[in-house]
Amino acid sequence: MPKNKKPAGGRAAKNFEPRYGAKSSYQDRKRRPGESSSGQAGSRSAGHRGHRPTETDAVAKGRWNAQERAGRDEARAIRTHARDDRPARSQGDRPVRSYDDRPRRDDRPARSYDDRARRDDRPARSYDDRPRRDDRPARSQGDRPVRSYGDRPARSYDDRPARSYGERPARSYDDRPRRDDRPARSQGDRPARSYGDRPARSYDDRPRRDDRPARSQGDRPARSYDDRPRRDDRPARSYDDRPRRDDRPARPQIDRPRGDGAANRSDWNAPARTAAYDAHVDVVHERLQAEAVQAGEVAETTFADLGLGDNIVGALAELGAAAPFPIQAATIPPILGGKDVLARGRTGSGKTIAFGAPLVESVLRSQAGKRREFGRAPKALILAPTRELALQIDGTIQPIARSVGLFTTQIYGGVPQGRQAGALKRGVDIVIGTPGRIEDLVNQGKLDLSEIRIVVLDEADHMCELGFLEPVQRILRHTAEGSQKLLFSATLDREVAALVDEFLVEPAVYEVAGEDQDSGTIEHRVLVIEHREKAEILDSLVSRSGKTLVFARTRAYAEMLADQFDDAGIHAVALHGDLNQAKRTRNLEKLTSGRVNVLVATDVAARGIHVDDIDLVIQADAPDEYKTYLHRSGRTGRAGRSGTVVTLITRQRRRRMGELLDRAEIDAPFEEVALGDDLLEELSGRQLADVDS
DNA sequence: ATCCTCA
């Protein structure tokens, strides 16, 4: 879809319609439409379902407003039940309390989804726990060892230390007696507390991860085996590799893991374990050696030459893809030939069509002469790391598939599954979605993957990272024996070895010669600022007329920044995982349509998301990984357009940032900037000029 | 830290 549109003309016009009226009109518009936002501080929440002004007012700090608001919608849906249960039970139980508590605690981990939401609003629950915890030490002396055997150990270790530090001793004494009043009081306390809790809680999920090391003995090593060792050598090697990449035949690199993988893996067990500790370290994986396709060689090629049928070629033209981009010319033939393919193409280079078009063609060929049966099992599967990306991919694939009478459906979380299940029941040919919901429906027996002959992993290296790898592996194991695998990413590296080893057969690796990430049209700037000026500097960068995407590291900060910009008179919306899916979709659409010019996002928007004409990407928080840098900055400068990436750092971070840019092979000047400097004007103003001209 | 299911 848009991802690939070089002749962006027609389409872009469609997207920009709302923006035609220059900047002043956009500001007018901002207050008007049914957004219900008056633009005042905190008034955004009035637009939230079930908004209660008093509640919001009670919590003074904007920062926590943001967080609370984020979880409120979901929380509300659940709250009634939970609250009802609690009081009822605990009332009678109290004396015996500790006995009951334990069991409940055990429940939590399982439900971690709910917990998040609830915690924000629900003083009731967490309070019950705490006190009990205090009891435990004393009473439970005997029990603990026994009980803790199950889940506890893992979890409780995480929680307890964290919480008990500041709060327990002091509070528990006060709180107990008062417990009945608590609901009332806790409103105020909450924010403060939840601050600490969240992290702790998200750890609830982690516990699973903590277990994993033990469990995943088999898997991990595979991955880390690539990372670790290399990391040390990296600096030295990576420099060598790039140049070499071009002339070197691909094979050896790919073959090696399969050849000696097993032996090596055990060797690397130890390093693997340390890996868990520096999860935030920017690991550099060896680049896969690829067959470089010369862009010039394919200049005259057409989609039809590559083996695609007329209808598909027509559909591509309608999407704005008249002639194949180099990465498409490179990968389409081998994909049609049934080979497993790894492909690296820089951001915005047209990867979606590169796998999408031949995938449709292949499914079509395999269906040739057959009737489309009701309830047929899908033949192709495309996995993406975020819902927005899955949605976007479907936006590209669906018209191609429809042009030849094939059906696609999106399978992702955060929305009712009824429609998705219904589509599957009727029968679709191509499934596009995110791992969680797909696995869920598979387990419910509503999605049959046994006839999947082609699987695509978009952002494949990301899909091999910690939270994704195992679900992805399980899903792949459900697909047909020997199904064709296609792995795509702008930063495809040896991190995918974990999947390559198990699932791919003699894969071919492709990339486009000379098309490195930094050979593009993006200008990179690093601003070294004083932390205390950060907020205002961001305000001044963001007050401009072009589309601006701001990245923040956490959901709470993203939410806070969106509020801050609104307060400063710049209409902004947020995109992160604490929002419900409806709001996520809506907010992204607002940027796409131009109804808002500033989107503040977490890394949920870092990969794959295509919005026309984002000409400025601001990293309010510098990324930890060079790959993240590449993907975030790739939201601009798409399909040959120009764009600027501005990264804000403090002086202390200079060195780290420098190293990161080296790994990303990006040249960016570091400039010390203070509030009011011309440079800030220039950065936001220049884009303004570009857009107007 | 982020993302990824459901209730």
Side-chain angles (χ1 to χ4, degrees):
Chain A
M1 104 180 187
K3 197 169 188 173
N4 193 33
K5 121 198 44 97
K6 184 170 219 163
R11 217 186 157 75
K14 208 186 298 164
N15 283 345
F16 290 167
E17 236 156 332
R19 254 181 68 203
Y20 278 152
K23 62 192 144 179
S24 59
S25 80
Y26 117 79
Q27 287 194 333
D28 288 344
R29 194 179 302 122
K30 142 190 165 190
R31 336 229 126 154
R32 232 180 273 148
E35 296 169 38
S36 79
S37 165
S38 69
Q40 295 303 317
S43 66
R44 292 167 86 252
S45 53
H48 287 227
R49 211 188 316 153
H51 166 66
R52 281 192 227 153
T54 46
E55 236 178 55
T56 316
D57 294 342
V59 190
K61 290 179 85 179
R63 183 156 187 191
W64 294 113
N65 273 345
Q67 204 172 37
E68 284 197 336
R69 253 185 265 135
R72 188 170 298 151
D73 286 349
E74 291 167 34
R76 208 152 265 161
I78 307 156
R79 196 192 290 154
T80 321
H81 289 303
R83 282 217 182 131
D84 290 346
D85 295 351
R86 267 307 150 49
R89 256 194 269 149
S90 55
Q91 294 289 13
D93 300 344
R94 284 249 178 106
V96 198
R97 220 183 297 149
S98 59
Y99 265 61
D100 284 352
D101 293 346
R102 295 285 169 75
R104 272 177 224 158
R105 261 226 209 149
D106 292 348
D107 297 344
R108 272 237 200 117
R111 274 195 244 156
S112 54
Y113 261 70
D114 285 353
D115 283 350
R116 278 229 193 122
R118 275 179 219 155
R119 266 222 198 149
D120 290 336
D121 316 284
R122 258 203 228 157
R125 234 214 241 165
S126 56
Y127 270 115
D128 283 350
D129 295 348
R130 292 257 175 90
R132 281 169 215 155
R133 277 205 204 148
D134 293 333
D135 297 346
R136 264 199 223 144
R139 258 191 270 155
S140 57
Q141 293 290 17
D143 304 344
R144 273 246 188 108
V146 175
R147 272 190 224 159
S148 58
Y149 261 105
D151 344 349
R152 271 291 174 69
R155 206 184 311 142
S156 56
Y157 272 115
D158 286 343
D159 293 343
R160 280 209 203 140
R163 276 191 223 155
S164 56
Y165 259 95
E167 301 165 350
R168 253 208 223 146
R171 252 200 242 155
S172 59
Y173 282 110
D174 290 348
D175 288 351
R176 288 265 178 84
R178 275 180 231 158
R179 243 208 237 148
D180 299 320
D181 325 335
R182 262 202 223 139
R185 231 203 298 148
S186 54
Q187 293 288 11
D189 297 348
R190 243 321 131 93
R193 225 184 295 138
S194 58
Y195 193 169
D197 287 351
R198 276 265 178 97
R201 199 141 351 92
S202 56
Y203 275 108
D204 280 350
D205 299 342
R206 289 269 182 81
R208 287 176 216 149
R209 277 197 206 156
D210 293 338
D211 299 346
R212 269 193 219 153
R215 259 191 277 145
S216 58
Q217 292 291 17
D219 307 339
R220 274 269 182 84
R223 214 196 307 152
S224 53
Y225 137 95
D226 284 340
D227 312 350
R228 275 327 143 49
R230 256 158 229 155
R231 204 204 311 150
D232 300 329
D233 324 332
R234 237 323 121 110
R237 252 202 251 160
S238 61
Y239 285 108
D240 292 348
D241 284 353
R242 297 272 167 90
R244 267 185 243 147
R245 201 203 321 152
D246 294 356
D247 15 76
R248 254 205 229 155
R251 290 311 132 72
Q253 291 290 352
I254 303 298
D255 293 345
R256 201 198 298 153
R258 281 185 293 128
D260 55 15
N264 277 348
R265 259 176 235 163
S266 51
D267 292 347
W268 295 116
N269 264 342
R273 224 169 291 123
T274 46
Y277 293 105
D278 19 61
H280 289 216
V281 170
D282 187 8
V283 179
V284 179
H285 298 260
E286 192 164 327
R287 283 178 79 130
L288 293 158
Q289 297 303 313
E291 283 179 20
V293 175
Q294 300 298 326
E297 291 174 5
V298 302
E300 303 294 312
T301 315
T302 67
F303 281 118
D305 294 341
L306 298 173
L308 301 177
D310 289 348
N311 288 338
I312 292 177
V313 173
L316 290 172
E318 217 144 287
L319 285 169
F325 282 180
I327 188 70
Q328 296 159 356
T331 58
I332 289 175
I335 292 173
L336 290 176
K339 297 186 73 168
D340 285 349
V341 168
L342 310 187
R344 175 171 50 234
R346 72 172 177 218
T347 56
S349 65
K351 291 188 289 291
T352 306
I353 286 177
F355 62 72
L359 174 139
V360 171
E361 177 75 34
S362 288
V363 172
L364 180 66
R365 289 180 188 175
S366 73
Q367 299 291 87
K370 290 183 201 160
R371 196 153 29 114
R372 283 199 308 271
E373 288 169 27
F374 185 89
R376 64 197 179 278
K379 303 297 185 291
L381 173 66
I382 301 172
L383 288 176
T386 65
R387 300 163 185 173
E388 284 74 13
L389 187 51
L391 207 63
Q392 176 183 293
I393 293 170
D394 188 43
T396 300
I397 308 277
Q398 188 162 44
I400 303 174
R402 282 292 170 83
S403 75
V404 294
L406 296 177
F407 287 80
T408 70
T409 197
Q410 312 147 5
I411 305 289
Y412 58 78
V415 297
Q417 57 183 42
R419 262 186 59 186
Q420 298 172 356
L424 293 171
K425 206 162 189 178
R426 286 191 298 277
V428 300
D429 306 288
I430 300 166
V431 167
I432 299 155
T434 51
R437 178 65 65 89
I438 287 176
E439 197 176 15
D440 191 14
L441 292 185
V442 167
N443 292 338
Q444 290 180 44
K446 293 175 178 169
L447 173 54
D448 174 10
L449 297 181
S450 65
E451 291 182 31
I452 297 286
R453 300 285 317 152
I454 304 185
V455 186
V456 177
L457 293 185
D458 199 7
E459 306 298 345
D461 57 320
H462 190 42
M463 300 295 262
C464 289
E465 286 171 10
L466 210 51
F468 280 119
L469 178 62
E470 296 190 9
V472 168
Q473 287 173 325
R474 287 192 296 264
I475 289 170
L476 290 182
R477 288 177 192 130
H478 278 106
T479 65
E481 182 83 24
S483 59
Q484 184 183 6
K485 311 291 190 305
L486 312 175
L487 274 52
F488 278 70
S489 178
T491 53
L492 196 71
D493 59 19
R494 296 272 301 163
E495 187 161 24
V496 297
L499 291 180
V500 173
D501 290 351
E502 179 177 352
F503 297 103
L504 277 71
V505 181
E506 298 183 7
V509 189
Y510 296 94
E511 70 178 5
V512 178
E515 274 214 349
D516 259 349
Q517 195 64 39
D518 68 340
S519 66
T521 48
I522 306 174
E523 180 183 0
H524 301 268
R525 317 283 287 257
V526 177
L527 305 189
V528 183
I529 62 167
E530 294 288 344
H531 186 264
R532 65 172 182 280
E533 295 187 336
K534 183 172 178 178
E536 286 184 82
I537 285 177
L538 282 167
D539 282 347
S540 79
L541 283 171
V542 139
S543 53
R544 55 194 298 278
S545 73
K547 285 187 190 176
T548 307
L549 179 55
V550 181
F551 281 104
R553 195 176 56 107
T554 66
R555 302 160 174 182
Y557 188 44
E559 191 69 24
M560 200 199 84
L561 280 180
D563 283 353
Q564 174 191 314
F565 295 153
D566 256 4
D567 292 350
I570 306 135
H571 190 26
V573 292
L575 177 61
H576 55 76
D578 264 349
L579 300 175
N580 63 43
Q581 191 54 38
K583 200 163 294 175
R584 281 170 63 163
T585 307
R586 186 165 61 242
N587 286 354
L588 179 57
E589 192 278 335
K590 280 184 180 176
L591 184 72
T592 315
S593 69
R595 284 161 64 210
V596 62
N597 268 350
V598 179
L599 179 70
V600 188
T602 59
D603 282 328
V604 69
R607 285 174 176 254
I609 301 305
H610 178 97
V611 174
D612 277 332
D613 271 0
I614 291 177
D615 48 26
L616 179 60
V617 167
I618 299 172
Q619 310 200 62
D621 292 317
D624 288 325
E625 290 184 60
Y626 80 97
K627 285 203 234 174
T628 306
Y629 185 101
L630 290 174
H631 286 282
R632 285 175 168 187
S633 57
R635 296 318 97 207
T636 185
R638 297 184 72 79
R641 298 195 177 182
S642 65
T644 303
V645 178
V646 173
T647 306
L648 301 187
I649 60 167
T650 52
R651 192 165 288 122
Q652 305 86 280
R653 190 146 179 153
R654 279 190 88 127
R655 206 185 124 152
R656 240 173 99 190
M657 192 65 202
E659 291 165 354
L660 184 147
L661 288 170
D662 280 349
R663 286 191 290 269
E665 298 187 336
I666 282 176
D667 280 329
F670 282 52
E671 295 153 289
E672 302 218 353
V673 173
L675 211 50
D677 282 0
D678 291 345
L679 181 58
L680 295 176
E681 289 294 315
E682 185 208 323
L683 284 171
S684 54
R686 186 166 36 99
Q687 261 76 38
L688 184 145
D690 282 355
V691 167
D692 288 348
S693 59

